[in-house]
Amino acid sequence: VLPDTCDFTVFGGTGDLALRKLLPALYHRDLEGQLPGDYRILGVSMSDLDADGWRDQVRAALRTHVDPTDLYDGAIDRFLGRLHHLRLDAQNPEDWDRLHALLKDRPNPEAAVRVFYLAVAPRLFGAICQRLDEIGVVDEHARVVLEKPIGHDLASAREVNDAVGRVFEESRIFRIDHYLGKESVQNLLVTRFANTFLEPLWSSHWVDHVQITVSETVGVGGRGAYYDHAGALRDMVQNHLLQLLCLVAMEPPTYVGRETVRDEKLKVLQALKPMTPTDVDHDTVRGRYAAGLVDGEPVPSYSDDLGHSGSRTETFVALKTEVQNWRWAGVPFYLRTGKRMDRRVSEIVVVFKQPPHSMFPGAEGATPPNRLHILVQPDEGMRLHLTAKEPGPGGYRLRPVSLDLRYAAAFDVRLPDAYERLLMDVIRGNPTLFMRRDEVEAAWTWTEPILQRWASSPDRPKRYAAGTDGPTAAATLLERDGRTWQEPD
Ligand code: BG6
């Protein structure tokens, strides 16, 4: 339910995430008239800015990150009029008092839904929540949004969850995984469960294996300090890729409800085959980009991006896992993600088995097996690769063909950014697309043995040139199973 009144407070209000994603998303929702009639956005940061200073920053950010066709001077001014900024030094009690005063300084403050978006380092989550509680602004309408990473391993994730949980009950904690807000990712549920033709095939009976690729062309840029402590496994696999895997592999819930979908995803995470140290050595590959060419432009190595060498952090991961349950037993799930790859593409490929018998003479194995490519980004859609007869009188010549669906063309609308949907869900109080505590912890439970083995192993991440598809060992991971990575569509 959309509240009438809302105060949306962003800790880290001048940060990259706020300026690049959160404020443009809120601007779009404002433009559509979807935000509560009476709302304010409060940016909290260490910067010495007054409200106008922050508005100028946000205006510049909108001009950079919003499509020019959606920028209207009147709408921008109206939106900026909702913005306030507070300089807050967490150690200074007076600053917290000023936050309290600001939140109370509105008509009917008790009725306002207060959202606290913590776009700051996770080590601050607990302390900020505690302070909010102490100054008396956490009431039964208040909710908190946590950006990933939630901790850097299971123990630290539990600490964060415990600390936040002392102030906010679980139903008021929104742990963002922005992949769940992507249109194409939500559509996965619809594709699977609002159609009949896929689900009977969606199991080890007919699926040979599944591939999930999230490749990026960007490097770590200015985020080196964070990234070097995280690495690709923590930054991408533990959350985004595992969430995609969950949506591919989960059982159908009876309805889409705030707990039902999350219950089913949790079961998938709990069914992932635990990795022993030997499995880690055998079934995972880590890489790190060296200098190379991306889109024809020379780019520096990871060490040069960081400004020092000697790091053991991976910027690429490929791995093989399995969902150990009735539906998926024996079906490998191959996951890979990396920075500075040859192209930006996220895609899930379900590779089906070949037909059990070939009735066309000489055609066994002549065409590749059926594959469903679910295109998560940048060109959201689906492509189904099939076999067809080549036209002509010369008998049965089989050829691969494809059926193509692109959402932008099918619906002829702008596809909203993931944050637009997710921020509206927070304001409305719908946690379905957010990660529940048990999911985050189950994901860490599975990830941790890999981290531990890597930390104790003398091996280093394998080198790959920027602008390629990763280290050769990633290809070998599939080739030794008689498979290959599918070229992204
Ligand atoms: C973030 C990671 O969660 O996701 C970044 O921290 C990554 O390293 C980003 O670049 C990718 O998101 P998207 O939406 O561009 O695929």
Side-chain angles (χ1 to χ4, degrees):
V1 201
L2 189 68
D4 296 329
T5 318
C6 176
D7 280 340
F8 196 102
T9 303
V10 185
F11 284 82
T14 54
D16 178 67
L17 182 75
L19 295 175
R20 204 164 41 84
K21 291 288 184 185
L22 307 183
L23 288 146
L26 289 166
Y27 168 78
H28 270 295
R29 292 303 93 208
D30 183 305
L31 199 59
E32 304 278 328
Q34 287 188 335
L35 292 179
D38 178 7
Y39 83 91
R40 298 187 296 180
I41 301 175
L42 179 59
V44 173
S45 79
M46 296 281 284
S47 310
D48 221 348
L49 287 175
D50 58 10
D52 281 338
W54 193 45
R55 286 182 190 132
D56 288 344
Q57 265 194 359
V58 175
R59 188 191 300 275
L62 296 181
R63 296 223 177 273
T64 315
H65 300 296
V66 173
D67 190 299
T69 56
D70 291 324
L71 289 173
Y72 306 97
D73 288 342
I76 295 177
D77 288 341
R78 193 184 62 219
F79 178 70
L80 296 179
R82 306 282 196 163
L83 266 50
H84 304 263
H85 181 266
L86 181 78
R87 182 184 187 284
L88 184 135
D89 172 355
Q91 305 306 323
N92 184 353
E94 283 166 23
D95 285 355
W96 288 98
D97 290 344
R98 289 197 295 128
L99 176 61
H100 172 263
L102 203 67
L103 288 172
K104 298 285 170 159
D105 180 23
R106 57 146 45 254
N108 205 3
E110 292 71 37
V113 164
R114 291 194 191 112
V115 175
F116 297 103
Y117 197 116
L118 308 192
V120 294
R123 66 190 152 74
L124 304 174
F125 290 171
I128 293 178
C129 291
Q130 193 187 334
R131 280 303 208 153
L132 291 171
D133 195 26
E134 284 163 8
I135 63 171
V137 292
V138 180
D139 59 16
E140 74 279 12
H141 307 303
R143 29 205 93 138
V144 67
V145 189
L146 308 181
E147 260 299 327
K148 65 161 257 282
I150 311 285
H152 57 271
D153 57 12
L154 180 60
S156 54
R158 283 191 175 139
E159 271 170 36
V160 170
N161 284 330
D162 283 345
V164 175
R166 279 194 280 277
V167 177
F168 291 89
E169 57 185 63
E170 180 64 26
S171 65
R172 304 201 174 280
I173 303 175
F174 291 72
R175 298 178 191 82
I176 283 231
D177 183 314
H178 76 282
Y179 268 60
L180 295 177
K182 291 183 190 277
E183 281 291 331
S184 47
V185 175
Q186 291 168 49
N187 197 47
L188 240 165
L189 285 185
V190 179
T191 304
R192 284 192 57 197
F193 301 132
N195 295 294
T196 43
F197 77 107
L198 278 178
E199 205 48 24
L201 304 179
W202 212 255
S203 74
S204 62
H205 294 299
W206 297 108
V207 172
D208 178 73
H209 71 282
V210 176
Q211 303 183 4
I212 302 179
T213 296
V214 176
S215 84
E216 300 185 277
T217 50
V218 292
V220 294
R223 299 168 73 222
Y226 150 74
Y227 193 88
D228 200 45
H229 281 108
L233 191 71
R234 288 188 178 93
D235 186 52
M236 297 294 288
V237 178
Q238 187 269 349
N239 33 75
H240 306 323
L241 277 87
L242 288 186
Q243 287 292 318
L244 293 179
L245 186 155
C246 284
L247 294 176
V248 173
M250 68 186 243
E251 296 301 318
T254 37
Y255 63 98
V256 177
R258 25 181 80 209
E259 305 307 339
T260 52
V261 175
R262 303 195 289 180
D263 288 345
E264 294 305 334
K265 286 193 296 161
L266 176 66
K267 288 182 205 160
V268 175
L269 291 168
Q270 290 170 335
L272 287 177
K273 183 177 169 220
M275 291 242 188
T276 63
T278 316
D279 294 337
V280 176
D281 294 347
H282 195 246
D283 292 340
T284 72
V285 173
R286 12 173 206 158
R288 162 127 45 91
Y289 62 83
L293 283 181
V294 174
D295 294 333
E297 296 290 322
V299 296
S301 67
Y302 178 69
S303 308
D304 285 341
D305 273 343
L306 266 191
H308 62 83
S309 55
S311 158
R312 290 173 54 111
T313 301
E314 79 288 353
T315 62
F316 173 97
V317 180
L319 60 83
K320 171 178 163 181
T321 183
E322 204 180 307
V323 180
Q324 294 184 310
N325 63 15
W326 193 282
R327 187 193 281 260
W328 292 115
V331 177
F333 283 71
Y334 300 99
L335 274 48
R336 66 175 165 167
T337 182
K339 300 240 183 254
R340 286 287 191 227
M341 309 273 289
D342 46 354
R343 54 197 205 154
R344 174 174 184 256
V345 62
S346 301
E347 169 165 318
I348 299 163
V349 186
V350 179
V351 181
F352 292 92
K353 295 185 172 169
Q354 289 282 17
H357 166 71
S358 172
M359 53 185 261
F360 303 102
E364 298 90 14
T367 52
N370 293 156
R371 275 122 49 229
L372 177 66
H373 287 235
I374 299 165
L375 316 176
V376 175
Q377 62 189 21
D379 223 357
E380 292 89 339
M382 250 185 289
R383 180 175 286 169
L384 183 59
H385 291 272
L386 305 164
T387 298
K389 176 185 175 302
E390 188 180 285
Y396 286 102
R397 270 204 283 270
L398 307 190
R399 288 286 174 265
V401 288
S402 62
L403 289 176
D404 235 320
L405 166 72
R406 303 290 153 142
Y407 297 131
F411 294 99
D412 195 21
V413 287
R414 180 186 77 89
L415 294 182
D417 184 73
Y419 279 94
E420 293 181 44
R421 164 72 195 261
L422 296 175
L423 297 186
M424 288 312 296
D425 282 355
V426 174
I427 294 171
R428 293 194 191 104
N430 177 3
T432 309
L433 294 179
F434 294 79
M435 290 193 292
R436 217 166 48 192
R437 173 175 184 154
D438 48 11
E439 280 182 84
V440 173
E441 293 182 5
W444 277 123
T445 302
W446 180 79
T447 311
E448 209 167 61
I450 307 176
L451 291 168
Q452 283 167 354
R453 177 64 185 169
W454 284 354
S456 66
S457 149
D459 296 344
R460 294 178 147 260
K462 298 192 163 39
R463 179 183 177 284
Y464 62 98
T468 63
D469 62 356
T472 47
T476 315
L477 184 71
L478 271 73
E479 280 159 13
R480 63 171 204 221
D481 294 344
R483 303 183 173 105
T484 50
W485 290 104
Q486 299 292 319
E487 265 297 296
D489 271 336

